[in-house]
């Protein structure tokens, strides 16, 4: 029995050795035209192979080089080129009947060029179609079949590839270290695939799902159902934003995509780190969450965004609108709105839109409302619309103390924080800066503020404001109340009290300069002059408009009163 087993083993080994020897004697390059024809017919492109080698133990044929031609309308450059091609084959039919059956195809270090023409068409649209530039049957050597073999690939693999995407406008975006695996690839049914790549500017991409059935008329319309994950996508490095605009951000994206009949649907979430949409602002100190649903028409390059939100925590701004992906940088036309949103959760989001608070200050409490329109390229958005702020506190910044010594003179201690009962502004946020016209604010223990102005992209302020102090501060000249009460016993006091009382009705002009992080407040002389006249008019029956002797017996002129006002109210606090 033992001898029988040994004999069977010897026979098997002999057959294997003879088979290998026979295979080594086969000139596999004899099959090269047939392989080229088969692949060309299947892919709809001319395929050329280098010299073939047989790998006996691997059961494969290796080509030194492979080139897949581009659509002739896009030029003569190759659509795909690779250093080597490995074809998995069934050895027995090849050895016995000289028939070639391809079971797998592996491309090593391929370079794929995807390009778009001026009409918006892509060069891969005809891939796998009927327009193959395959070798003619007359070019097939004698002894080989003029009809290509039935093409089927159980396994398709790409190792360490590179994909360059060139659009009609904008440069070329590259994806490197591309790894692709697909099984049961064929034209008649969907097949599973998995792809990973390194993105330009850093970050990685992972795409898993099903592709097909293949649309031979227009490959762009081939159905896709997949899960896309991107980590650390740099908006500037990837070419989605212009770094020279001073904007940017890094995104982590997790989304489902489904494409059918030319419409691509996507739904998922984005965590944006260091997001900055306006040059005048600064990067968000905390990640911004975007949950979105979008549809995209592949033929037109346009899409819609619906039922999407942007924010932090549970506070979200609603986003709806459209986008256009044809220009170099995506164009947006969005409506952003929210009502009674908690300030505490949205405060870190303000710098993203260019809102900069004074140094060492922060907003807390209250609610925020917005109804904004964002339009333009992603890296140069123009955002317009009203915003409101209610019952909030600006911690670490005392507007009362910045307005000078008037409150102290009145015996009223300015609070260390600025408590905002209500504020509203019509904003225009653009790459050049922020314009607010008009602005209104009701400040607790201070009064009402109204005005207009701008903040440049570098943070410099230029605001003209009218401050109307509360009667509790000016006192209206009443004894024991406010400045008027304190100074009512002197002629100069009555005159100054009249002037300050006028600030309750007419207001006092303030020019705000400096920067958003370090604002500077100064009296507007032209406004003071008009207010001084209004204050004198209110006390002309009591005090001469030109002079007043006061308790010291020395005359007091309008200029003296004005100087007292400037020094007592704000003059001594210039730049603070």
């Amino acid at each position: 029995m033992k001898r029988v087993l040994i004999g069977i083993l010897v026979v098997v080994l002999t057959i294997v050795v003879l088979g290998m020897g026979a295979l080594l004697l086969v000139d596999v390059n004899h099959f090269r035209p047939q392989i080229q024809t088969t692949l060309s017919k299947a892919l709809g492109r001319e395929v050329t192979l280098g010299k073939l080698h047989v790998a006996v133990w691997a059961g494969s044929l290796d080509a030194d080089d492979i080139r897949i031609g581009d659509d002739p309308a896009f030029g003569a450059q190759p659509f795909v080129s690779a250093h080597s091609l490995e074809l998995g084959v069934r050895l027995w039919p090849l050895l016995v009947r000289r028939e070639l059956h391809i079971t797998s195809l592996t491309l090593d270090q391929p370079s794929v060029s995807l390009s778009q023409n001026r009409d918006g068409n892509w060069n891969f649209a005809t891939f796998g179609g009927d327009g193959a530039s395959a070798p003619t049957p007359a070019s097939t050597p004698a002894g080989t079949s003029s009809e290509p073999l039935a093409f089927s690939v159980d396994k398709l693999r790409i190792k360490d590839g590179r994909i360059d995407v060139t659009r009609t406008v904008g440069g070329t975006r590259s994806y490197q270290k591309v790894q692709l695996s697909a099984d049961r690839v064929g034209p008649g049914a969907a097949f599973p695939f998995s792809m990973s790549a390194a993105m330009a500017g850093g970050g990685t991409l992972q795409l898993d799902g099903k592709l097909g059935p293949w649309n031979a008329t227009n490959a762009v319309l081939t159905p896709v159902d997949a899960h896309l994950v991107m980590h650390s996508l740099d908006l500037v490095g990837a070419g989605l934003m212009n770094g020279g605009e001073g904007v940017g951000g890094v995104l982590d994206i997790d989304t489902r995509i489904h494409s059918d009949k030319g419409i691509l649907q996507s739904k998922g979430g984005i965590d944006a780190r260091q997001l900055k949409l306006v040059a005048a602002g600064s990067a968000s100190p905390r990640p911004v969450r975007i949950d979105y649903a979008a549809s995209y028409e592949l033929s037109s390059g346009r899409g819609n965004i619906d039922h999407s939100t942007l924010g932090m925590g549970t506070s979200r701004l609603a986003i709806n609108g459209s986008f256009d992906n044809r220009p170099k940088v995506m164009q947006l036309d969005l409506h952003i709105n929210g009502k009674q949103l908690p300030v505490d959760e949205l405060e870190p989001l303000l710098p993203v839109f260019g809102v900069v608070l004074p140094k060492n200050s922060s907003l807390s409490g209250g609610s925020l409302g917005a109804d904004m329109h964002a339009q333009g390229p992603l890296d140069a958005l123009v955002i317009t619309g009203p915003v409101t702020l209610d019952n909030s506190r600006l911690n670490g910044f005392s507007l009362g103390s910045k307005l000078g010594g008037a409150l102290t003179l009145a015996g009223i201690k300015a609070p260390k924080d600025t408590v905002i009962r209500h504020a509203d502004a019509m904003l225009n946020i653009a790459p050049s800066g922020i314009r607010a016209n008009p602005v209104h604010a009701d400040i607790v223990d201070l009064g009402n503020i109204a005005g207009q102005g701008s903040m440049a992209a570098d943070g410099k302020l230029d605001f003209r404001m009218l401050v109307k102090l509360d009667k509790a501060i000016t006192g209206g000249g009443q004894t024991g109340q406010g400045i008027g009460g304190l100074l009512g016993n002197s002629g100069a006091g009555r005159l100054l009290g009249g002037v300050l009382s006028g600030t309750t009705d007419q207001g006092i002009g303030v020019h705000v300069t400096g920067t958003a992080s370090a604002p500077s407040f100064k009296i507007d002389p032209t406004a003071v002059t008009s207010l001084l006249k209004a204050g004198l008019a209110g006390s002309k029956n009591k005090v001469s408009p030109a002079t007043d002797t006061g308790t010291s017996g020395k005359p007091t002129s309008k200029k003296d009163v004005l100087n007292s006002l400037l020094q007592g109210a704000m003059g001594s606090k210039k730049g603070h």
Side-chain angles (χ1 to χ4, degrees):
M1 185 65 182
K2 183 177 180 181
R3 292 182 178 180
V4 174
L5 292 175
I6 293 175
I8 293 173
L9 180 61
V10 170
V11 172
V12 172
L13 291 175
T14 301
I15 293 174
V16 172
V17 171
L18 291 176
M20 290 182 178
L23 186 59
L24 291 173
L25 295 176
V26 174
D27 182 9
V28 291
N29 283 284
H30 175 80
F31 296 96
R32 183 167 58 182
Q34 186 180 9
I35 296 173
Q36 290 180 158
T37 300
T38 299
L39 294 178
S40 297
K41 289 290 185 181
L43 302 180
R45 303 290 174 86
E46 182 178 3
V47 177
T48 58
L49 301 175
K51 188 176 180 180
L52 295 179
H53 309 276
V54 62
V56 177
W57 294 108
S60 65
L61 300 178
D62 296 338
D64 291 336
D65 188 23
I66 179 174
R67 290 179 181 270
I68 302 174
D70 206 346
D71 186 323
F74 287 81
Q77 73 283 353
F79 175 65
V80 178
S81 61
H83 291 292
S84 65
L85 169 68
E86 179 183 298
L87 291 172
V89 297
R90 296 175 181 173
L91 293 179
W92 186 256
L94 180 64
L95 176 63
V96 177
R97 297 188 298 273
R98 302 295 177 91
E99 295 177 353
L100 179 65
H101 295 276
I102 301 173
T103 59
S104 66
L105 191 154
T106 302
L107 291 170
D108 185 39
Q109 297 182 345
S111 177
V112 181
S113 177
L114 306 181
S115 58
Q116 185 184 41
N117 63 19
R118 294 185 180 275
D119 296 327
N121 299 319
W122 288 91
N123 63 339
F124 65 87
T126 58
F127 192 73
D130 297 329
S133 301
T136 61
S139 65
T140 304
T144 42
S145 173
S146 61
E147 295 294 328
L149 298 175
F151 183 77
S152 63
V153 177
D154 294 331
K155 296 180 180 180
L156 172 65
R157 301 290 185 267
I158 289 178
K159 297 180 179 179
D160 196 19
R162 175 190 176 100
I163 300 177
D164 294 320
V165 182
T166 304
R167 301 176 59 211
T168 305
V169 293
T172 299
R173 299 172 187 170
S174 297
Y175 300 85
Q176 302 186 37
K177 299 180 181 179
V178 177
Q179 310 290 332
L180 172 68
S181 65
D183 297 326
R184 302 183 298 279
V185 177
F191 53 86
F193 74 95
S194 178
M195 173 184 170
S196 64
M199 297 179 291
T204 60
L205 174 154
Q206 181 69 43
L207 184 64
D208 301 281
K210 288 187 176 182
L211 178 69
W214 192 265
N215 189 314
T217 303
N218 186 352
V220 176
L221 303 181
T222 299
V224 179
D225 191 356
H227 179 206
L228 173 64
V229 177
M230 294 183 180
H231 289 296
S232 300
L233 169 64
D234 189 311
L235 290 171
V236 174
L240 300 175
M241 279 183 159
N242 184 356
E245 301 295 336
V247 294
V250 180
L251 309 184
D252 293 328
I253 303 174
D254 190 328
T255 185
R256 296 290 311 187
I257 60 174
H258 177 78
S259 178
D260 191 20
K261 298 180 180 180
I263 302 297
L264 178 68
Q265 305 280 351
S266 62
K267 184 177 182 180
I270 301 173
D271 290 312
R273 293 176 278 118
Q274 302 171 5
L275 184 63
K276 183 181 178 184
L277 297 178
V278 180
S282 58
S284 172
R286 287 166 46 191
V288 178
R289 177 69 180 184
I290 303 171
D291 291 304
Y292 77 97
S295 61
Y296 179 64
E297 189 177 50
L298 297 173
S299 60
S300 68
R302 297 187 180 96
N304 294 303
I305 298 174
D306 301 299
H307 309 297
S308 302
T309 60
L310 177 150
M312 298 177 176
T314 59
S315 297
R316 300 296 182 88
L317 292 164
I319 303 175
N320 297 278
S322 61
F323 62 94
D324 189 341
N325 197 39
R326 293 173 301 170
K328 180 179 179 181
V329 177
M330 181 185 294
Q331 297 273 335
L332 299 177
D333 189 351
L334 304 176
H335 184 207
I336 305 172
N337 67 87
K339 295 180 179 179
Q340 296 182 341
L341 301 175
V343 168
D344 291 335
E345 293 187 356
L346 288 180
E347 195 260 355
L349 184 63
L350 299 180
V352 174
F353 295 97
V355 179
V356 180
L357 301 178
K359 187 177 181 181
N360 298 324
S361 68
S362 63
L363 274 176
S364 66
S367 61
L368 179 72
D371 189 7
M372 313 289 286
H373 182 208
Q375 193 172 30
L378 180 60
D379 56 7
L381 285 173
V382 176
I383 306 172
T384 58
V387 296
T388 60
L389 182 65
D390 291 284
N391 302 315
S392 188
R393 179 184 294 270
L394 183 58
N395 300 305
F397 183 83
S398 175
L399 182 59
S401 64
K402 300 299 179 184
L403 290 178
L407 298 182
T408 303
L409 185 62
I412 299 175
K413 184 178 181 181
K416 64 177 182 178
D417 301 325
T418 300
V419 180
I420 304 167
R421 184 178 291 112
H422 173 79
D424 60 78
M426 179 64 71
L427 298 181
N428 181 289
I429 305 172
S432 59
I434 299 176
R435 178 74 184 173
N437 184 16
V439 179
H440 300 97
D442 182 5
I443 309 299
V444 176
D445 294 331
L446 181 62
N448 294 298
I449 299 175
Q452 63 179 10
S454 63
M455 183 184 77
D458 60 2
K460 291 184 179 179
L461 300 177
D462 185 11
F463 276 83
R464 304 283 176 170
M465 311 297 293
L466 192 65
V467 180
K468 294 184 178 181
L469 299 177
D470 281 345
K471 289 185 177 181
I473 296 176
T474 61
Q478 301 175 26
T479 304
Q481 295 183 10
I483 297 175
L486 285 175
L487 303 181
N489 293 328
S490 67
R494 289 192 299 272
L495 182 57
L496 182 56
V499 171
L500 290 175
S501 295
T503 66
T504 299
D505 299 321
Q506 287 80 27
I508 183 168
V510 178
H511 187 198
V512 185
T513 57
T515 64
S517 58
S520 175
F521 298 81
K522 297 180 182 179
I523 287 284
D524 185 335
T526 58
V528 171
T529 301
S530 62
L531 292 172
L532 180 60
K533 291 180 180 178
L536 288 172
S539 58
K540 62 183 179 180
N541 295 327
K542 300 178 182 179
V543 184
S544 169
T547 60
D548 177 52
T549 57
T551 56
S552 63
K554 296 181 180 180
T556 304
S557 67
K558 296 179 183 178
K559 183 177 180 181
D560 294 331
V561 175
L562 178 58
N563 287 334
S564 297
L565 175 61
L566 292 175
Q567 294 173 5
M570 298 182 187
S572 61
K573 298 291 184 180
K574 287 184 180 181
H576 297 282

